[in-house]
Amino acid sequence: MARIMNMDRIMNPRPVSIVAEVALERGQFVAIKGMAKNNIWLDNADDFEAYAVELANADTKVGDLLIHSTVPKQYDERLEERDFVLEAGAVGRGHYVTVGDEITIAKDLINGDVEVGAELELAADGKLAAGSGLAKVVKVYNWNGQESVMIRFI
């Protein structure tokens, strides 16, 4: 299922270019694993700085943690923002998470039930789960037809 996300309150956005070996949906958490090869002009040098990323998990360090935030661009007028998926190997966008930032993500990116005030930590496959240390649930609501959760990074 494709998802939509919203960057509600971002204090100091630090966007970076990312490339993953798997398809990504907006709102998934990814971990930097090194620099990506992005030689799209077929010469000997990389054309721009991009990070190779993989889906984040419980072992991901906060300094390597990004949220996938590529702006949806599709050329089929029948598709909506929620239909956007960044294809494997395509260049996308990620943002470092910063204490105080608030974002809205799809509820199904959080394992288990969530309620306002609950704390969250990284789980497998770029998702979150109940735990402590990374984020706190601010609001659980239906946003643009999607069951969603607003979280604040702590």
Side-chain angles (χ1 to χ4, degrees):
M1 173 187 145
R3 302 170 177 99
I4 54 177
M5 69 163 293
N6 191 46
M7 299 176 77
D8 299 293
R9 291 179 185 86
I10 304 297
M11 309 294 261
N12 184 19
R14 292 175 50 204
V16 294
S17 296
I18 60 172
V19 179
E21 295 175 2
V22 297
L24 296 175
E25 295 184 38
R26 295 181 78 222
Q28 283 184 296
F29 291 89
V30 294
I32 295 172
K33 63 179 188 173
M35 298 305 291
K37 187 118 180 91
N38 57 67
N39 191 332
I40 60 175
W41 299 114
L42 304 177
D43 59 9
N44 292 328
D46 287 340
D47 299 311
F48 54 91
E49 183 178 285
Y51 290 101
V53 297
E54 60 190 0
L55 292 174
N57 59 48
D59 296 328
T60 301
K61 294 179 173 69
V62 174
D64 293 331
L65 181 64
L66 305 170
I67 185 164
H68 174 230
S69 58
T70 301
V71 175
K73 53 183 182 227
Q74 302 170 121
Y75 302 101
D76 185 340
E77 68 276 355
R78 296 168 293 178
L79 298 176
E80 297 180 6
E81 179 180 349
R82 71 183 74 249
D83 298 317
F84 176 76
V85 175
L86 182 68
E87 296 176 11
V91 178
R93 208 64 159 156
H95 279 80
Y96 282 95
V97 299
T98 305
V99 172
D101 287 353
E102 292 181 357
I103 60 168
T104 295
I105 60 174
K107 189 174 181 183
D108 65 353
L109 285 174
I110 301 173
N111 296 330
D113 294 328
V114 295
E115 59 185 41
V116 173
E119 288 193 12
L120 304 169
E121 65 186 7
L122 284 169
D125 297 328
K127 295 184 176 185
L128 300 174
S132 61
L134 182 65
K136 191 174 216 174
V137 176
V138 175
K139 184 177 179 181
V140 179
Y141 64 117
N142 186 298
W143 181 63
N144 289 337
Q146 171 183 276
E147 292 303 312
S148 300
V149 178
M150 180 188 286
I151 60 174
R152 177 182 304 120
F153 294 101
I154 54 176

